[in-house]
Amino acid sequence: MATRASGSRNTTSSSDADRISSVLSEKRRFAPPAAFSAAAHVGSARALSALRAAASANVVAFWEEKARDLLWFRHWKKPLVWKHPHAQWFVGGTTNASVNCLDRHLGGWRRTKAALIWEGEMGEVRTLTYQQLHGQVCKAANALLKLGVQRGDVVAIYMGMVPETVIAMLACARIGATHNVIFGGFSSEAVRERINDSGAVVLITQDATVRRGSFVELKSAADAAVKKCPTIRHMVVLSRCGIHCTMKRGRDLWWHDVVDGASPINEPAQLDAEHPLFILYTSGSTGKPKGILHTTGGYLTQVAYTTRMVFDLQEDDVYFCTADVGWITGHSYVVYGPLMNGATVMIYEGVPNYPAPDRMWDIIERHAVSIFYTAPTAIRSFMKWGEEWPNRHDLSSLRLLGTVGEPINPEAWMWYHSVIGGGRCPIVDTWWQTETGAIMISPLPGATTTTPGTATKPLPGIEVDVVRKDGTPCKSNEGGLLVVKHPWPSMLRTIYGNDERYRAAYWSEFPKSRNHPGWYFTGDGARRDADGNIWIIGRVDDVVNVSGHRLGTAEIESALVSHPRVAEAAVVARPDEVKGNALVAFVTLKGSAKASTALSEELRAHVAKEIGPIAKPEEIRFAEALPKTRSGKIMRRLLRELVTSGTAKGDVTTLEDAGVLERLRMQEEE
Ligand code: PRX
């Protein structure tokens, strides 16, 4: 039920935490529908407050109780060992992710329940019951074992959205291999970097993936990548599109040759709670992507719990999260969370507007999807395509909507609520990160009164705060830094192979000292309103959110300077109606190189080749020089101001050569 309508709020990011400000004007409130609350796991604000209070009184005991919902081979000895900044949860316990996702459902009627409903872009539909999925996972696990993959080995997975990707992940988990899923849209250079950093021994890929009606080859990109990957011993190739692939003898094997004939019986590995489940690369504020390491027991505990509570998962739901498995949302809320809860998971292979802009609504109608979880950038695209597309479909099966990945602007929220949700579905705006592994701040749909644009409050068992740079708490509506004060089960354990960077990236802003416990810094700016709701203002580091994907500007800059004509580059973001942010690259050229439209296109293509099309700058601006501090640091803040407002009036006292900025400003006016 809506109360009062009002304007918008500021969602732009700032590089300086102490300059964070945002405008509060959103007053609309939406209480959960009574019928929804009546059937929900948590059905009232009072019940949620009580849950939160009890959890905060003993965070560890709260999570310990949730861990009991998993299947364990051996019970843990200690629920938490916290040696700042390293947490170990459920120490001494042994478990297995694939057993929790599959075997546990085989004893009863869920055996024949649909686990995955896959729809290919060309319209094919495949349904795998829990029993069938289990059989496939066991076969793939046996195939990996036969290839010599051992417990603790890393297996890279470079695939599209097909059931075999999920099977491959769960097969790794079953034998204790650590998966490293690499988004299928990444270029061979990006794949190579991620394989080499993780030391993967096997790469699982597919001939090609289907996108907008055509084939995008993955095997050839994988071939180019592994040319310089000395650790790769085998490549397993799924024939998704039936196209010809060059197979290197002794190294490459077809999925159907090694998996189809393998035994469907596999004894799962009994793994330590802290056994590494996966590495997932994400962008940071330096050029090199960070290999975020997640382990088993704690990750599964929090992912299972949050899936059940945040999506209010019920036995007959058809759950559809549109994320690609190449991102953390795909790991936690396409694969592990829903399967641990015995849900029916809808997976779609292709783009949302093929063959027409109603593809999502068509899927929802045909498969009677009841829970839909997507990103604000997708919602803004749906809005742009027009409401005639959803209006052609019966969306009455939907009962809950979710968003993730970036702040949702109230206009998009309202559209989602009324056009897609028919005004009757609660919306859960979920805040979390690759590093947090699971949802941290979110409404519970049967209990929380929501306001467009805020993920509301931390979940029970999660202790977050908005603080000033000196660590003192912010007043209500004062912008500050978002921190997590108590270890949580699904937190990252380290950055793979670089613990120093782990400490520096997350634990140096509020370090542990004699009189401070040391807090995890999220990299986000936020404010808390008078009701205690948290509003994310944006990243305060050099990380930019483009179309819900997290990109490190440093990474793109280093891709640009790897081009022979580029001397220096600075990448900043400007607000974009659909993507949230669009990237603008300022580039200075080497010696005799001349700026031209052709070179601009060449540089954009170069970034696509080095990282992937998602990282392509929207615009390249050639500059004679970049504004720098006296110590030589590029002042990205000024460039950001320039592309956002057309001018740069901020503090320029540390600028080395004011003329540089003046020339850029004049260029802007031209
Ligand atoms: O800035 C926050 C934004 O996305 C960042 C995490 O990105 P990534 O690790 O790629 O994970 C995305 C999917 C979990 C956060 O630091 N973010 C994520 N969810 C929200 C959000 N910003 C505002 N509201 C959200 N609901």
Side-chain angles (χ1 to χ4, degrees):
M1 162 207 56
T3 49
R4 191 143 58 92
S6 70
S8 63
R9 81 196 160 85
N10 180 0
T11 56
T12 53
S13 61
S14 153
S15 66
D16 298 331
D18 43 359
R19 304 179 56 195
I20 292 172
S21 62
S22 69
V23 181
L24 171 69
S25 55
E26 183 55 61
K27 297 263 177 359
R28 287 168 286 206
R29 299 277 183 278
F30 296 84
F36 191 103
S37 299
H41 295 310
V42 179
S44 70
R46 189 183 302 186
L48 175 55
S49 301
L51 208 58
R52 221 180 248 127
S56 201
N58 192 340
V59 171
V60 176
F62 172 82
W63 286 116
E64 210 174 357
E65 186 194 309
K66 304 306 161 210
R68 290 199 187 96
D69 291 339
L70 298 186
L71 280 185
W72 295 84
F73 298 112
R74 193 175 69 211
H75 196 273
W76 56 90
K77 291 200 175 71
K78 285 196 177 140
L80 172 65
V81 175
W82 175 232
K83 288 192 190 124
H84 180 93
H86 295 110
Q88 291 181 282
W89 283 86
F90 313 119
V91 180
T94 57
T95 184
N96 183 294
S98 98
V99 168
N100 275 287
C101 289
L102 303 169
D103 306 50
R104 71 180 305 184
H105 308 306
L106 301 186
W109 70 272
R110 269 194 195 149
R111 189 170 69 232
T112 52
K113 179 177 177 176
L116 297 181
I117 304 177
W118 173 81
E119 182 162 314
E121 201 192 61
M122 298 183 276
E124 327 83 303
V125 173
R126 272 170 71 192
T127 302
L128 285 140
T129 63
Y130 272 93
Q131 189 159 35
Q132 288 166 333
L133 185 59
H134 176 263
Q136 291 297 317
V137 168
C138 288
K139 284 181 174 206
N142 286 327
L144 289 175
L145 288 172
K146 205 161 173 196
L147 290 179
V149 177
Q150 293 184 358
R151 193 179 283 205
D153 281 347
V154 175
V155 172
I157 300 176
Y158 177 51
M159 300 177 82
M161 288 296 281
V162 287
E164 284 77 6
T165 311
V166 179
I167 293 167
M169 290 165 76
L170 292 171
C172 289
R174 195 164 187 89
I175 63 172
T178 301
H179 58 71
N180 167 11
V181 180
I182 303 169
F183 173 56
F186 276 136
S187 69
S188 49
E189 272 77 4
V191 175
R192 178 186 304 146
E193 184 171 23
R194 285 157 176 77
I195 288 178
N196 284 338
D197 191 76
S198 67
V201 297
V202 166
L203 171 61
I204 308 179
T205 188
Q206 60 191 69
D207 53 353
T209 183
V210 184
R211 200 179 158 79
R212 219 176 285 288
S214 47
F215 294 157
V216 179
E217 287 186 27
L218 289 186
K219 168 68 163 78
S220 53
D223 281 338
V226 301
K227 266 189 197 139
K228 289 189 204 140
C229 295
T231 54
I232 290 289
R233 297 198 295 257
H234 289 291
M235 216 195 283
V236 178
V237 187
L238 174 78
S239 176
R240 155 71 185 115
C241 301
I243 63 171
H244 172 77
C245 293
T246 317
M247 301 291 277
K248 187 170 173 187
R249 197 177 307 169
R251 185 195 68 184
D252 299 353
L253 304 140
W254 287 106
W255 174 283
H256 51 258
D257 286 337
V258 291
V259 176
D260 289 2
S263 161
I265 296 161
N266 175 277
E267 196 55 42
Q270 302 199 3
L271 302 168
D272 199 87
E274 283 298 328
H275 186 79
L277 178 59
F278 66 87
I279 302 166
L280 182 62
Y281 285 83
T282 189
S283 300
S285 50
T286 72
K288 208 169 130 55
K290 304 187 274 200
I292 303 300
L293 181 75
H294 282 289
T295 58
T296 306
Y299 172 80
L300 296 178
T301 298
Q302 193 175 332
V303 168
Y305 174 71
T306 51
T307 307
R308 189 162 63 249
M309 303 310 271
V310 172
F311 301 107
D312 187 50
L313 208 57
Q314 307 288 344
E315 198 60 59
D316 54 356
D317 275 317
V318 177
Y319 168 95
F320 183 18
C321 165
T322 64
D324 191 284
V325 286
W327 311 112
I328 189 70
T329 309
H331 284 59
S332 302
Y333 298 106
V334 173
V335 181
Y336 291 110
L339 294 179
M340 275 190 286
N341 282 288
T344 293
V345 183
M346 178 79 224
I347 310 183
Y348 169 58
E349 178 182 45
V351 297
N353 55 350
Y354 186 87
D358 63 345
R359 185 61 184 263
M360 290 293 145
W361 324 126
D362 185 39
I363 290 176
I364 291 172
E365 180 175 9
R366 277 185 294 105
H367 298 281
V369 169
S370 55
I371 301 173
F372 184 61
Y373 187 33
T374 195
T377 183
I379 300 168
R380 291 191 295 268
S381 293
F382 301 146
M383 283 172 79
K384 202 173 77 175
W385 297 336
E387 59 181 83
E388 64 267 29
W389 296 103
N391 287 348
R392 286 181 192 186
H393 295 275
D394 176 3
L395 302 181
S396 60
S397 58
L398 287 173
R399 65 178 200 94
L400 177 68
L401 302 173
T403 73
V404 58
E406 58 184 307
I408 179 163
N409 47 309
E411 293 69 25
W413 197 103
M414 288 308 299
W415 188 89
Y416 200 30
H417 171 77
S418 55
V419 178
I420 306 306
R424 66 176 192 282
C425 304
I427 297 180
V428 286
D429 173 352
T430 62
W431 178 93
W432 58 296
Q433 310 177 294
T434 306
E435 291 85 345
T436 67
I439 298 171
M440 304 286 277
I441 305 175
S442 170
L444 290 193
T448 310
T449 293
T450 54
T451 295
T454 168
T456 71
K457 295 180 181 157
L459 291 174
I462 300 300
E463 303 285 311
V464 308
D465 204 352
V466 179
V467 299
R468 301 188 182 119
K469 271 202 143 172
D470 64 5
T472 53
C474 286
K475 293 191 300 238
S476 97
N477 286 320
E478 178 187 346
L481 304 173
L482 184 68
V483 296
V484 189
K485 291 183 162 178
H486 191 288
W488 64 102
S490 64
M491 67 192 284
L492 78 166
R493 297 308 195 251
T494 187
I495 291 175
Y496 190 72
N498 197 343
D499 199 56
E500 273 314 300
R501 192 173 175 196
Y502 167 70
R503 291 168 184 273
Y506 307 108
W507 303 94
S508 63
E509 192 76 29
F510 300 99
K512 182 177 161 65
S513 66
R514 240 182 329 139
N515 37 27
H516 195 284
W519 296 330
Y520 170 86
F521 175 44
T522 62
D524 279 0
R527 71 181 163 85
R528 206 196 284 258
D529 68 18
D531 298 327
N533 290 322
I534 292 171
W535 298 73
I536 304 297
I537 300 170
R539 301 287 306 189
V540 297
D541 51 16
D542 290 322
V543 175
V544 181
N545 204 318
V546 179
S547 298
H549 295 312
R550 187 170 143 179
L551 300 168
T553 50
E555 212 176 317
I556 303 167
E557 287 163 4
S558 73
L560 283 165
V561 295
S562 74
H563 187 280
R565 297 216 194 142
V566 174
E568 210 169 29
V571 173
V572 295
R574 67 166 149 74
D576 181 273
E577 224 172 81
V578 174
K579 297 177 174 177
N581 287 294
L583 297 174
V584 180
F586 288 85
V587 169
T588 62
L589 296 174
K590 277 185 189 156
S592 58
K594 291 265 171 307
S596 67
T597 321
L599 181 57
S600 163
E601 274 317 300
E602 190 178 320
L603 294 181
R604 294 179 68 236
H606 182 69
V607 174
K609 180 174 156 287
E610 290 293 310
I611 305 173
I614 51 164
K616 251 195 213 179
E618 188 84 4
E619 202 187 318
I620 304 272
R621 293 199 196 173
F622 294 104
E624 264 172 51
L626 300 175
K628 289 189 185 160
T629 61
R630 273 162 248 267
S631 62
K633 261 186 111 178
I634 298 173
M635 293 183 77
R636 289 179 183 76
R637 174 173 59 77
L638 297 179
L639 296 174
R640 206 156 20 228
E641 238 184 295
L642 197 68
V643 297
T644 308
S645 63
T647 176
K649 294 198 197 101
D651 180 10
V652 291
T653 49
T654 51
L655 191 64
E656 187 221 18
D657 174 3
V660 170
L661 190 64
E662 194 46 42
R663 285 191 289 278
L664 287 173
R665 227 184 260 154
M666 279 159 56
Q667 221 170 309
E668 175 78 22
E669 280 162 15
E670 281 163 15

